[in-house]
Amino acid sequence: MKNFTFHNPTKIIFGKDTVAQLAKLVPQDARVLILFGGASAEKNGTLAEVRTALGGRAVQEFGGIEPNPSYETLMGAVALARREKSDFLLAVGGGSVIDGTKFVAAAIPYDGEPWDIARSGGAKVRSALPFGAVLTLPATGSEMNNGAVVTYKATHDKLPFRSPLLFPRFSVLDPTKTFTLPVKQVANGVVDAFVHTVEQYLTYPVQALAQDRFAEGLLQTLVEIAPQTLAAPDDYDTRANLMWTATLALNGLIGAGVPQDWATHMIGHELTALYDIDHARTLALVLPSLLNVQRGPKRAKLLQYGERVWGIREGSEDERIDAAIASTRAFFEGLGIPTRLSAYGLGQEAVDAVLEQLGKHSLTSLGEHGDIDLATSRRILAGAL
Ligand code: NZQ
Ligand code: ZN
């Protein structure tokens, strides 16, 4: 195991009827800006509960943050917050709203062109407004980490950034707030959390025994609860397990001291930027093919994954690896999430276009060994046709 520092300052408030606790969590004298997405938070009553909990505080609202939040939209929130002298941000929504709020928190005090925050990967963040979140979609883990991804729509640049200053102060996780999610978004959430776990686990062995077992436990939990949480949206216990599992998948715990991959995410971001495919859906396109192409460097972990997550013990090593990849693909497809580019009407031209974007963004040495160059990314995408 490598040396590591583990620090996660985000306080989690989990369970039914917890939104009311905002009354204590948000500073009494705060000038609050609530940020939210489209219509869902208003329609399902979450925003009404948030407003009630904030009581007599000075509150402004900024709605309309879209999935894969755009710089163009977020700059509207920056202008509003600067004008109103907001000093506390509250995200109400899924990963897009929380990520967007992280960008706004860093952009408000930023002296210069705020897109630099994303372009520098977060290195240019020197200060940020404090913020909290009310999560309505279990998927990204943004509610308990310091990363975000924003898109400059005009140039098709979808860039990740992180900063120690961008952990939420708190996140309220009330599983009942997810009951109104469309099935498609629940399936997306399962796949996103699954792939976050895989990106930090399925690399090469470093004797990180607890991280491995934790990761395998999260993967098995997702496989176990997925059918029920899709079939019964208001089954509290399965939703609660999905919500906490998705948070644990990307709050730093399983990634501490271990090699990490993230190539599936980086290639996936380009597919979203070019073709507007939902984030998790891009991951389902890339991962099975990536595991196949990288079966050499990932051999030991692929065998461990096959055995411990899918119970695959029979056959030669290559047969077991084939079976582990096939199980992964079947799991995604079983959730209604395609694993082939052709499902989106995309072919060879998409492979070429993604390659060009990867080059433009200098994403030419991806993966835990930095060995996924453009030629390897080409083979991965060709394997997803
Ligand atoms: O806009 P509204 O009307 O609110 O509808 C949203 C949106 O259309 C809807 N929704 C959310 N909660 C709902 C609901 N509908 C009904 N009931 C509810 N309770 O769901 C749709 C998708 O929301 P979005 O926030 O875009 O989804 P998700 O949470 O999957 O976030 C995806 C974004 O997170 C980034 C992705 O790149 C993408 O931009 N990621 C962030 C990460 C991080 N910060 O650590 C890591 C991830 O890998 C990921 O890259
Ligand atoms: Zn993700």
Side-chain angles (χ1 to χ4, degrees):
M1 207 187 316
K2 297 184 287 187
N3 292 1
F4 65 86
T5 302
F6 181 75
H7 176 71
N8 190 318
T10 303
K11 177 175 182 173
I12 297 293
I13 298 90
F14 191 97
K16 275 180 198 160
D17 303 324
T18 44
V19 173
Q21 293 189 37
L22 290 173
K24 293 178 299 192
L25 293 161
V26 176
Q28 252 348 292
D29 56 351
R31 295 180 61 79
V32 184
L33 177 62
I34 302 174
L35 299 99
F36 57 97
S40 77
E42 189 76 78
K43 246 181 15 207
N44 66 18
T46 309
L47 269 178
E49 278 184 51
V50 168
R51 291 182 191 118
T52 304
L54 292 176
R57 292 173 180 83
V59 174
Q60 302 291 326
E61 298 186 5
F62 183 88
I65 297 178
E66 63 277 68
N68 310 301
S70 75
Y71 164 82
E72 289 91 333
T73 299
L74 297 170
M75 286 309 288
V78 173
L80 176 63
R82 284 178 176 163
R83 200 163 59 236
E84 296 294 333
K85 306 205 177 340
S86 307
D87 57 15
F88 196 95
L89 306 180
L90 186 60
V92 181
S96 294
V97 174
I98 303 175
D99 281 11
T101 300
K102 290 175 181 176
F103 180 80
V104 172
I108 290 168
Y110 190 77
D111 184 16
E113 164 51 64
W115 184 244
D116 289 350
I117 293 166
R119 225 173 3 210
S120 69
K124 295 217 164 158
V125 177
R126 299 273 175 272
S127 66
L129 256 63
F131 66 96
V134 176
L135 181 67
T136 64
L137 198 177
T140 65
S142 188
E143 65 278 8
M144 199 179 175
N145 69 39
N146 64 349
V149 196
V150 290
T151 300
Y152 206 130
K153 279 237 156 73
T155 55
H156 297 289
D157 292 320
K158 180 170 182 176
L159 302 182
F161 62 96
R162 61 179 57 249
S163 161
L165 298 169
L166 291 176
F167 283 99
R169 294 290 162 105
F170 61 79
S171 285
V172 175
L173 276 55
D174 178 345
T176 67
K177 296 290 168 247
T178 73
F179 290 177
T180 55
L181 279 167
V183 169
K184 176 183 167 186
Q185 293 299 341
V186 180
N188 284 355
V190 170
V191 169
D192 198 19
F194 192 93
V195 180
H196 292 161
T197 309
V198 166
E199 298 263 37
Q200 300 164 89
Y201 159 75
L202 224 169
T203 57
Y204 55 90
V206 291
Q207 295 300 314
L209 305 190
Q211 290 91 321
D212 276 9
R213 297 276 186 194
F214 272 133
E216 289 151 0
L218 297 177
L219 296 172
Q220 286 177 305
T221 302
L222 291 167
V223 172
E224 183 178 332
I225 64 178
Q228 173 69 4
T229 202
L230 286 179
D234 56 357
D235 175 346
Y236 180 83
D237 284 328
T238 31
R239 270 305 149 86
N241 277 290
L242 174 59
M243 207 169 205
W244 188 225
T245 302
T247 301
L248 290 170
L250 197 50
N251 71 348
L253 190 64
I254 61 167
V258 300
Q260 303 192 9
D261 183 340
W262 298 109
T264 296
H265 268 72
M266 300 318 289
I267 299 170
H269 288 168
E270 303 300 0
L271 283 164
T272 299
L274 287 173
Y275 304 110
D276 213 20
I277 301 171
D278 292 352
H279 169 65
R281 292 176 170 249
T282 68
L283 307 177
L285 292 171
V286 178
L287 182 72
S289 179
L290 179 139
L291 295 179
N292 186 40
V293 169
Q294 293 295 91
R295 64 166 62 214
K298 289 185 186 290
R299 174 163 294 259
K301 272 305 195 57
L302 273 167
L303 291 166
Q304 181 178 324
Y305 165 72
E307 180 174 345
R308 293 193 189 172
V309 177
W310 297 109
I312 297 163
R313 293 185 187 83
E314 309 279 309
S316 69
E317 286 195 353
D318 274 312
E319 283 166 353
R320 280 181 277 152
I321 289 171
D322 285 341
I325 296 170
S327 298
T328 310
R329 192 185 287 284
F331 177 56
F332 296 161
E333 296 275 356
L335 301 171
I337 301 207
T339 59
R340 298 284 180 192
L341 286 160
S342 53
Y344 299 94
L346 298 174
Q348 185 58 42
E349 75 293 344
V351 176
D352 297 333
V354 171
L355 260 290
E356 199 178 314
Q357 289 273 105
L358 289 169
K360 171 182 164 193
H361 294 138
S362 305
L363 298 171
T364 53
S365 58
L366 298 171
E368 64 273 19
H369 298 290
D371 60 348
I372 302 184
D373 55 12
L374 291 182
T376 309
S377 286
R378 182 176 289 282
R379 279 195 284 137
I380 291 167
L381 286 158
L385 283 171

